[in-house]
Amino acid sequence: MEEKMENSLEKTGSATLPEKRIVLIGGRWAGKSWSGNTILRGERFQYGRVRTTQVEVRHGEVEGRKLTVVDAPGWSSCLSLTDIPEGEKQSFKLYASKSPPGPHVFLLVLPIDSAFTQEQRTTLEEHMKLLGGQVWRFTMVLFTCGDYLGKKTIEQHIESEGEALKWLIGRCGNRYHVFNNKDKANLSQVSVLLEKIDEMMKNNGGASYKTDEQTFQIITEKQKDVTRRAKERQTNAEKQRQQRIKLIPEETKTIPKLQMILLGSRNVGKTSVGNTILGCKDQEGGKRTANLVVKRGFVGETDVTLIDTPGWWKGFPAWDTPEIIKEEIIHSMFLCPAGPHIFLLVIDAHASFHNIHLEAVTSHLELLGEGVWKHIMIVFTRGDWLGAKSIEEFIEGEGEALQCLVDRCENRYHVISNKNANDREQITELMKKITETVAENSWNYFAPDQQLLDRIKEKRKCVKEAALLRQKQVNATRDSAGSRVRLDALKVVLLGQKTFGKSATGNTILRKDVFVTCQNEQNREENGVVAGRQVTVINTPGWWRESSRWTEVLDKEIARGLSLSPSGVHAVLLVVPLIPTFGDPQRVAVKEHMNLFDARIWKHTIVVFTHGDELADRSVEEHIESEHQSLRWLVDQCENKYHTINNMKRRDMTQVTELFEKIDEMVAGNGGQLFCPAMEEIHQRIWEKAHRNQLKIVLKQRLASEFKRRELQLIMGFRQTLQDLLADIQASPVATKPRFLIGDMTNNKYQVTEHRKNYKKGEEEKLEVKISREITKLDEEIMKSPTLQSSMDIFVPDFAADSPAHFWSLSDQKISENIRKYSSQSNFDKVLGWLSNLHVSTNRDNQLTVNFSETSGYRSVLSLDFDSGSIIND
């Protein structure tokens, strides 16, 4: 019906009318489809609870203009571009091609009834980059939900909403319009919009946005290839399934008893899958699974036991997952008598899946023991978001990581739409596939190793004892502190790594959103009255976990944060999340930045643990004792001064008032003194750190150069050996002797001898070809030796801050002494010159050595053993 209407419009001579081609883009639930209907003055697009899963095109005539309106699927405002499936990103680039030869305007739809945050700005900006820099001159912001303005003008709304929205309006050249989609009788709002589009078209010289032809061809070819490979996978999966079906006896219709475990990262819908399978509603209202949850029920005639496990953070491998979560995952197997039949690995079908996600899945599944992959089935959630795309197209379009995972599971996968829980057919089909998998495993359970459970029990016993001891120590310290004075004014500074939750913690303390929770690159000071106190919070930029991203500018800005309060601060709040785990890299980063200040800083520091909801029913002391020793080192450095906060519960004032009380106690213990470091000393340390890093870079470059030279030398030596061997073969008597024809000779002994000689000659000829081929390969390697990927990283330590302490601590100390000795820049250049001319050689034990002269102040010889890869510091 819709198609007939559009065809009739095209036959009425509307082609002579001025044409406007419009593409609606924006986040989900922004009102794009509704706006399309308002523009075309009719119910042309489905809207409301129906999500746009694929691009839709509608045509119409409005006020003497021929309109083509393209409604594009919306993006998720909470996902960055890296979290979006590859196929979706490719399709987004081609939406403009749905209105050939190209759209005159992109209407970027934003609802007025919700805030436009910095996070949403980042997501929007990333999407617009996919369309190229030219897109902004063809873009206009279309505000929906205009009725929410009330008596306020749209300009007042823009100015009051913050920097993110003002940035967007400026980026669009101050082109914007407001729709009240509920007021359909107001035709003028469309008329004014079309006039604004006319004006924009005039300013653009009537030009339209053009999709790059090369990009169009590349993506189109990729999509065709994905479709082809998807059909192949579907065929192969069906063949494998038919083989499993043959293993099921005809009399076996269902499994009497089935034990399943749900596994996966957070927010992929594990709990929803369990509820959908058992046909029950979510009683927790989307609450995160913090502990193991056992559910039982019947699915048809099958008695099902289903265990839901805590999810790991998406993209984080097992070594970054807190110990308690890993223990719970392992423990889940022992809640099934004899073991589980199958593990359902839950994957989000509307999110990206890259190598980091594959590594996360693999490392967590390997915790369960050998042979687990035979019992794994992938369950893809959010199948309703696939639209017209098949799950095989998603698998093939997403890339090698997901394909590898599916292949590892031998094409055992299923798709579920959790929002359509009443569709029992999808569960019936899932149960069939599970039965087939169990049959393939000879109807056996996956038997867990009892030693795993024994180790967990023993560790938990030790953790509880250590946690009780730490609690007693904390209580004893607080009791011995005596009376404390309640401070009417508090000044605190927030320190920590990026993404650890500093800004959110500052907002929780002040009970208002004053710190932006992303891309905080400069210090910011905010004040407020909280619990009857005048509180000042200084939020410093977060440092990077990777020392390779260190900059002198960042360290100086962090240090400047403490100078914003000339009299000093009452407390340094070192923010650390309860998840992911706090390991050696985090410890090195903290130590490196705390060392910029003098040692007194630890006396004034409280560790503030964020993500307090992660504790569930455990104490923070149990978390400290169960985690990596680096966390215990940190807490000990702060003399057991720590606090837990849940930034998701801003209304819970007790967590803030308790923090203030701990600050009162700490200040009393410090004799009322505030922490006020000497800024000159801090800048001196930063200067030394910068030049120490520069010295290490030079040394690494020298070693890298020597490794490449050494590697090339070894390759050329091996090539010469092969050439010598080839020359020996070619000079052998058998190789040079002419071939005789046996003919009619009747001497059998002579025939056998000649046959052996010919056989030996044939084998030597084959060997000659192989050696020649290897020589050719080596020649190619030698030719590209300037860009040769050196294996030096196996032997040379990372010269960054997280290098092994046993190697670099002494070196750092000596270099720092040298830097202090040569305080002028000219003398420092001499040090660099000296370092760049270091003698790098190989000793008699085949070790690469760096020799320091007696006059340099260094007496050590750094030896790098090529055979073992070890580092020897004499």
Side-chain angles (χ1 to χ4, degrees), residues 812-863:
D812 283 350
Q813 183 181 356
K814 288 180 177 179
I815 293 176
S816 294
E817 290 171 357
N818 231 353
I819 290 173
R820 292 190 185 97
K821 181 178 178 181
Y822 301 107
S823 58
S824 69
Q825 184 62 40
S826 59
N827 281 327
F828 174 72
D829 291 338
K830 293 178 182 179
V831 176
L832 276 182
W834 158 77
L835 188 56
S836 62
N837 290 297
L838 280 176
H839 179 60
V840 182
S841 60
T842 306
N843 62 18
R844 63 184 181 183
D845 296 320
N846 198 32
Q847 296 172 335
L848 192 65
T849 61
V850 181
N851 299 289
F852 301 97
S853 67
E854 293 287 331
T855 57
S856 68
Y858 294 85
R859 295 178 181 270
S860 60
V861 175
L862 169 65
S863 301

Side-chain angles (χ1 to χ4, degrees), residues 742-759:
I742 297 177
D744 295 331
M745 291 184 180
T746 57
N747 189 328
N748 291 334
K749 184 176 180 180
Y750 177 78
Q751 291 180 17
V752 170
T753 302
E754 285 300 302
H755 177 73
R756 286 175 178 173
K757 287 182 178 180
N758 288 333
Y759 175 79

Side-chain angles (χ1 to χ4, degrees), residues 493-756:
V493 63
L494 297 166
L495 292 179
Q497 186 176 302
K498 289 182 183 294
T499 73
F500 272 14
K502 290 187 297 81
S503 299
T505 300
N507 292 335
T508 299
I509 292 173
L510 292 175
R511 302 193 70 190
K512 56 184 178 180
D513 292 320
V514 289
F515 300 116
V516 179
T517 56
C518 67
Q519 300 182 357
N520 178 27
E521 300 296 335
Q522 291 183 325
N523 292 298
R524 183 167 179 178
E525 179 181 341
E526 293 291 343
N527 304 279
V529 178
V530 183
R533 306 183 192 223
Q534 183 63 42
V535 180
T536 299
V537 178
I538 301 170
N539 190 19
T540 63
W543 56 73
W544 296 101
R545 169 179 167 175
E546 304 85 1
S547 58
S548 59
R549 303 179 73 172
W550 174 86
T551 64
E552 186 176 355
V553 173
L554 181 60
D555 269 9
K556 286 183 176 179
E557 182 64 17
I558 293 173
R560 191 178 70 85
L562 279 87
S563 68
L564 295 179
S565 177
S567 59
V569 295
H570 294 94
V572 175
L573 302 182
L574 183 57
V575 180
V576 174
L578 291 170
I579 185 171
T581 194
F582 187 89
D584 281 336
Q586 291 81 8
R587 170 181 173 173
V588 170
V590 165
K591 187 176 181 180
E592 182 180 271
H593 286 87
M594 297 295 275
N595 283 348
L596 294 178
F597 311 96
D598 58 62
R600 293 183 301 115
I601 191 172
W602 295 108
K603 290 280 187 182
H604 301 266
T605 300
I606 296 177
V607 178
V608 176
F609 292 108
T610 55
H611 301 289
D613 55 312
E614 297 290 338
L615 291 173
D617 56 354
R618 295 182 306 135
S619 68
V620 66
E621 288 78 15
E622 287 177 298
H623 174 81
I624 294 169
E625 299 302 329
S626 67
E627 282 302 297
H628 195 277
Q629 61 179 357
S630 294
L631 185 60
R632 292 190 287 280
W633 166 86
L634 177 63
V635 173
D636 291 341
Q637 282 289 110
C638 296
E639 300 175 347
N640 276 330
K641 299 189 296 291
Y642 53 85
H643 184 70
T644 306
I645 205 163
N646 182 359
N647 291 320
M648 302 301 291
K649 292 185 177 180
R650 296 265 293 274
R651 294 183 179 180
D652 181 10
M653 273 301 296
T654 57
Q655 59 181 349
V656 177
T657 54
E658 286 176 7
L659 173 62
F660 290 167
E661 290 172 2
K662 290 180 180 179
I663 294 174
D664 289 339
E665 293 173 3
M666 182 178 67
V667 172
N670 291 327
Q673 291 185 344
L674 277 64
F675 180 62
C676 186
M679 297 306 296
E680 289 185 4
E681 294 181 6
I682 294 173
H683 284 288
Q684 176 66 20
R685 294 188 190 102
I686 294 174
W687 187 89
E688 291 173 4
K689 179 179 176 182
H691 290 78
R692 185 167 61 245
N693 285 345
Q694 192 173 354
L695 290 172
K696 289 178 180 179
I697 289 171
V698 173
L699 179 56
K700 185 172 183 178
Q701 288 172 344
R702 290 282 293 116
L703 290 175
S705 175
E706 183 60 27
F707 264 101
K708 288 185 178 181
R709 187 196 65 78
R710 174 73 169 161
E711 190 170 39
L712 183 60
Q713 183 182 17
L714 291 173
I715 290 175
M716 294 183 72
F718 182 55
R719 176 180 178 274
Q720 185 61 47
T721 302
L722 289 179
Q723 283 183 325
D724 294 343
L725 179 61
L726 180 61
D728 291 343
I729 293 173
Q730 292 173 342
S732 67
V734 175
T736 57
K737 188 173 182 179
R739 181 175 295 178
F740 291 99
L741 295 174
I742 297 177
D744 295 331
M745 291 184 180
T746 57
N747 189 328
N748 291 334
K749 184 176 180 180
Y750 177 78
Q751 291 180 17
V752 170
T753 302
E754 285 300 302
H755 177 73
R756 286 175 178 173

